[in-house]
């Protein structure tokens, strides 16, 4: 309808649980799935008089994230209290950062495969970098679970280091928002900062959306959608909300700044509360914590920056001679990239190894609902399998049989499996005999080969393969046939 007469503006606030041993302001362990309330102390329970102590590892991981995303880290940062009534935060304030956060600016580059699969051919703005406002560090709250007529609360999560990544309203579509989350997650996992698993609540997303008429300069009224916990609900809720806001404006109604929630079951947004502004939180510097000088930590982080996904893609293209697309698939996950590199190292064809990993291995893992981490076949064996084919020891079809067997007999190597299946190259004398036999039995095709018909040569090769029961190397056979008939 009239959608093109309106411009949507989307900004994301993403909370990420950091992968640290201990909590943000105490030494309690960070661990998922333990006995409720077993990982607590007076500080993370919010008891009066308990004092916070900073977790240097959490600060370092946040600075690292900022460095990877091109942010500035101010020389001094500080901690502020964000006042709130939190049933799951009994001290009634969250220690966060207000005006001096750990990271400022920067951006998240969106990579192609991060877009929804059905949208990868329709990317409006390839190579887009979504601008960031800031990244700050704060503490997570406890976890409430609502039962029929009572609520339980688990403080194991309370005080877990939480990094909040705030983007500018720089995202144009629901699909870009998906690409943003996937691209961000990839970098966080790559650098070991977080496991960023949305299903486990390690990455949670608030979405700010406004629409405005195409001829209007200033942004429209902002609606915030709270606590989206899957990439698909982010996509669906944005589509829904853009449509709803346009409908309101078209009907001549105005929108009120407010916080809404997404109801995934009915596929609609619902009003939660009208939005509080920053001044409602009465931020003030936390008197229990000193500001932090960041210089030394920043220098240490800069000394040892991990390879970023797009850098790995470029290196794979160059070092292994594979296509940009293949390199992007292989580098999408650190563990898959490592697997490929181990498999490709020292083989005759790193390109063929890439084909095997992408076309055969990933399909087989998918079939068996396994991840690359749980792959029973060692990477080096894929390299060895490719080498057997390249050396003419086995044919491609035989290699497929050996490959299937590798999953059943993970303690055996491809050479041993090929041998046990009788896949040995026929000796050359035998092959010569088969070729003579095939030529004698097929004089028509043989004379066509002499006249330059390659298809006829393929036909004869097929006959020789049959005679050798698949043991001959088809490439070699074709060469020998051509030599014989065209000499
Ligand atoms: Zn504690
Ligand atoms: Mn926050």
């Amino acid at each position: 309808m009239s959608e093109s007469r309106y411009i949507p503006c989307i900004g994301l606030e993403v909370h990420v649980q950091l992968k640290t041993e201990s909590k943000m302001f105490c030494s309690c362990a960070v661990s998922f799935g333990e006995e409720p309330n077993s990982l607590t102390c007076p500080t993370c329970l919010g008891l009066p008089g308990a004092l916070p102590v900073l977790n240097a590892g959490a600060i370092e991981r946040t600075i690292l994230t900022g460095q990877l995303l091109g942010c500035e880290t101010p020389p001094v940062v500080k901690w502020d209290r964000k006042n709130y009534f939190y049933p799951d935060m009994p001290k009634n304030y969250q220690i966060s950062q207000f005006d001096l956060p750990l990271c400022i600016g920067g951006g998240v580059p969106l990579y192609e495969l991060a877009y929804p699969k059905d949208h990868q051919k329709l990317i409006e703005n390839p190579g887009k970098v979504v601008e960031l406002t800031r990244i700050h560090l704060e503490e997570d709250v406890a976890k409430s679970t609502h039962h029929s007529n009572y609520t339980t609360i688990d403080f194991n999560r309370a005080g877990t280091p939480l990094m909040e990544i705030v983007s500018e309203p720089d995202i144009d579509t629901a699909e870009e928002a998906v690409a943003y989350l996937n691209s961000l997650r990839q970098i966080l996992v790559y650098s070991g900062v977080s496991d960023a698993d949305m299903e486990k609540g390690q990455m949670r997303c608030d979405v700010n959306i406004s629409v405005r008429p195409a001829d209007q300069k200033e942004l429209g009224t902002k609606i915030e959608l709270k606590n989206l916990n899957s990439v698909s609900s982010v996509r669906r809720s944005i589509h829904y909300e853009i449509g709803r806001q346009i409908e309101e404006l078209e009907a001549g109604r105005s929108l009120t700044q407010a916080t809404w929630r997404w109801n995934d079951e009915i596929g609609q947004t619902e009003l939660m509360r009208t939005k509080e502004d920053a001044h409602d939180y009465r931020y003030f510097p936390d008197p229990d914590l000193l500001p932090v000088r960041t210089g030394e930590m920043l220098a240490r982080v800069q000394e040892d920056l991990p390879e970023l996904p797009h850098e790995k893609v470029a290196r794979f293209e160059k070092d292994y001679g594979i296509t940009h697309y293949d390199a992007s698939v292989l580098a999408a996950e650190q563990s898959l990239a490592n697997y490929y590199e181990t498999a490709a190292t020292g083989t005759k064809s790193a390109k063929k190894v890439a084909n095997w990993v992408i076309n055969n291995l990933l399909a087989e893992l998918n079939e068996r609902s396994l991840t690359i981490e749980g792959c029973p076949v060692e990477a080096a064996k894929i390299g060895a399998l490719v080498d057997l084919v390249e050396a003419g020891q086995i044919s491609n079809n035989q290699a497929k049989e050996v490959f299937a067997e590798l999953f059943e007999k993970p303690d055996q190597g491809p050479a041993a499996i090929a041998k046990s299946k009788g896949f040995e190259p026929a000796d050359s004398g035998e092959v010569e005999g088969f070729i003579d036999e095939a030529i004698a039995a097929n004089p028509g095709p043989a004379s066509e080969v002499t006249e330059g018909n390659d298809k006829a040569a393929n036909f004869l090769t097929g006959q020789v393969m049959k005679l050798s029961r698949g043991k001959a190397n088809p490439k070699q056979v074709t060469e020998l046939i051509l030599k014989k008939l065209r000499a």
Side-chain angles (χ1 to χ4, degrees):
M1 37 163 237
S2 48
E3 239 180 82
S4 58
R5 295 204 286 119
Y6 292 88
I7 301 173
C9 257
I10 304 158
L12 261 50
E13 291 170 23
V14 179
H15 284 93
V16 178
Q17 274 184 3
L18 294 179
K19 216 165 130 182
T20 51
E21 303 266 314
S22 59
K23 294 187 181 178
M24 189 59 231
F25 299 111
C26 63
S27 58
C28 292
V30 172
S31 181
F32 192 76
E34 304 290 326
E35 172 82 9
N37 296 307
S38 61
L39 307 173
T40 59
C41 73
T43 298
C44 57
L45 286 171
L47 299 187
L51 291 172
V53 177
L54 284 171
N55 180 339
I59 298 176
E60 204 165 304
R61 282 167 179 81
T62 306
I63 292 178
L64 170 62
T65 305
Q67 288 298 300
L68 295 176
L69 298 175
C71 310
E72 297 271 343
T73 285
V76 176
V77 302
K78 71 180 201 12
W79 310 91
D80 301 280
R81 289 187 179 180
K82 182 182 185 183
N83 296 285
Y84 230 117
F85 173 72
Y86 280 116
D88 40 17
M89 173 81 82
K91 63 186 193 288
N92 283 339
Y93 62 83
Q94 178 187 33
I95 307 177
S96 182
Q97 298 189 283
F98 184 52
D99 52 339
L100 280 175
L102 274 160
C103 311
I104 297 170
V108 175
L110 308 186
Y111 73 103
E112 220 169 289
L113 298 178
Y115 283 83
K117 270 212 172 64
D118 57 39
H119 195 80
Q120 286 171 8
K121 295 216 158 47
L122 309 163
I123 298 171
E124 304 83 358
N125 203 345
K128 174 161 181 168
V129 178
V130 172
E131 278 182 48
L132 293 181
T133 313
R134 56 187 274 149
I135 304 176
H136 63 256
L137 189 53
E138 57 191 31
E139 54 182 335
D140 207 347
V141 298
K143 189 173 169 53
S144 314
T145 308
H146 304 290
H147 304 272
S148 54
N149 58 353
Y150 64 101
T151 297
T152 52
I153 189 157
D154 178 7
F155 279 83
N156 287 355
R157 194 179 75 179
T160 298
L162 206 57
M163 181 169 72
E164 183 171 340
I165 302 168
V166 183
S167 86
E168 290 286 294
D170 190 25
I171 296 168
D172 301 326
T173 63
E175 288 67 31
E176 263 183 30
V178 169
Y180 174 85
L181 286 173
N182 286 333
S183 300
L184 184 60
R185 173 169 193 271
Q186 191 193 44
I187 289 172
L188 296 172
V189 174
Y190 246 73
S191 52
V193 161
S194 171
D195 291 331
D197 189 336
M198 281 191 97
E199 271 170 37
K200 287 190 186 150
Q202 292 162 336
M203 182 157 141
R204 311 195 285 270
C205 182
D206 302 337
V207 181
N208 291 307
I209 312 176
S210 67
V211 302
R212 66 175 196 273
D215 56 5
Q216 180 184 313
K217 272 234 150 42
E218 62 272 25
L219 294 182
T221 305
K222 183 173 84 176
I223 301 292
E224 180 172 15
L225 300 179
K226 270 280 180 219
N227 258 326
L228 292 152
N229 54 15
S230 74
V231 172
S232 75
S233 63
V234 168
R235 186 181 187 186
R236 291 173 65 213
S237 65
I238 292 175
H239 274 296
Y240 178 85
E241 187 58 24
I242 290 173
R244 185 187 73 83
Q245 290 184 23
I246 290 174
E247 241 175 71
E248 290 295 298
L249 296 176
E250 285 281 283
R253 289 188 287 267
S254 64
L255 294 157
T256 318
Q257 182 173 326
T259 301
W260 289 57
R261 77 164 73 80
W262 171 246
N263 185 329
D264 207 48
E265 262 150 52
I266 58 169
Q268 287 182 9
T269 52
E270 299 163 343
L271 181 64
M272 251 171 97
R273 57 171 187 258
T274 50
K275 172 72 184 162
E276 53 289 278
D277 273 320
H279 61 253
D280 296 328
Y281 294 122
R282 312 290 298 214
Y283 280 99
F284 68 90
D286 192 303
D288 293 336
L289 290 162
L290 289 169
V292 174
R293 279 191 222 281
T294 55
E296 253 173 58
M297 252 188 232
L298 183 58
R300 201 158 55 232
V301 165
Q302 282 169 336
E303 240 166 60
D304 189 24
L305 289 175
E307 185 180 40
L308 280 172
H310 70 269
E311 294 166 344
K312 204 185 277 292
V313 169
R315 183 168 63 78
F316 277 12
E317 287 183 67
K318 189 170 139 279
D319 288 2
Y320 300 116
I322 59 179
T323 63
H324 178 75
Y325 180 83
D326 285 358
S328 307
V329 172
L330 293 168
E333 275 177 62
Q334 182 90 281
S335 45
L336 179 61
N338 291 344
Y339 188 97
Y340 170 67
E341 283 209 85
T342 311
T345 302
T347 55
K348 294 194 172 70
S349 172
K351 204 172 156 53
K352 294 239 164 78
V353 172
N355 290 341
W356 273 93
V357 170
I358 294 171
N359 299 326
N360 303 76
L361 187 79
L362 289 182
E364 188 67 31
L365 290 175
N366 194 22
E367 188 96 333
R368 292 166 183 256
S369 313
L370 288 171
T371 60
I372 190 75
E373 286 93 345
C375 177
V377 182
E378 283 165 45
K381 288 181 182 168
I382 301 296
L385 179 65
V386 167
D387 280 351
L388 285 180
V389 180
E390 288 297 290
Q393 298 284 311
I394 57 175
S395 70
N396 235 329
N397 282 335
Q398 291 172 336
K400 279 183 189 144
E401 282 186 52
V402 173
F403 174 77
E405 199 87 355
L406 280 173
F407 277 83
E408 308 305 330
K409 299 175 178 160
D411 50 327
Q412 286 192 27
I417 291 173
K419 195 166 180 195
S420 74
K421 288 185 156 299
F423 297 161
E424 277 170 290
D427 70 63
S428 53
E430 219 180 340
V431 174
E432 297 270 355
F434 291 142
I435 289 175
D436 290 341
E437 210 180 318
I439 289 174
N442 300 283
S447 63
E448 281 177 51
V449 173
T450 312
E451 280 152 30
N453 182 340
D454 286 347
K455 266 199 190 137
N458 289 342
F459 169 77
L460 286 182
T461 302
Q463 299 306 304
V464 174
M465 292 307 291
K466 264 189 213 158
L467 291 169
S468 75
R469 293 208 188 87
K471 283 187 186 181
N473 176 341
K475 223 160 87 187
Q476 214 175 3
V477 170
T478 309
E479 275 165 24
L480 285 170
I481 289 172
L482 291 177
K483 218 179 194 179
K484 250 190 176 94
L485 295 175
R486 287 188 190 164

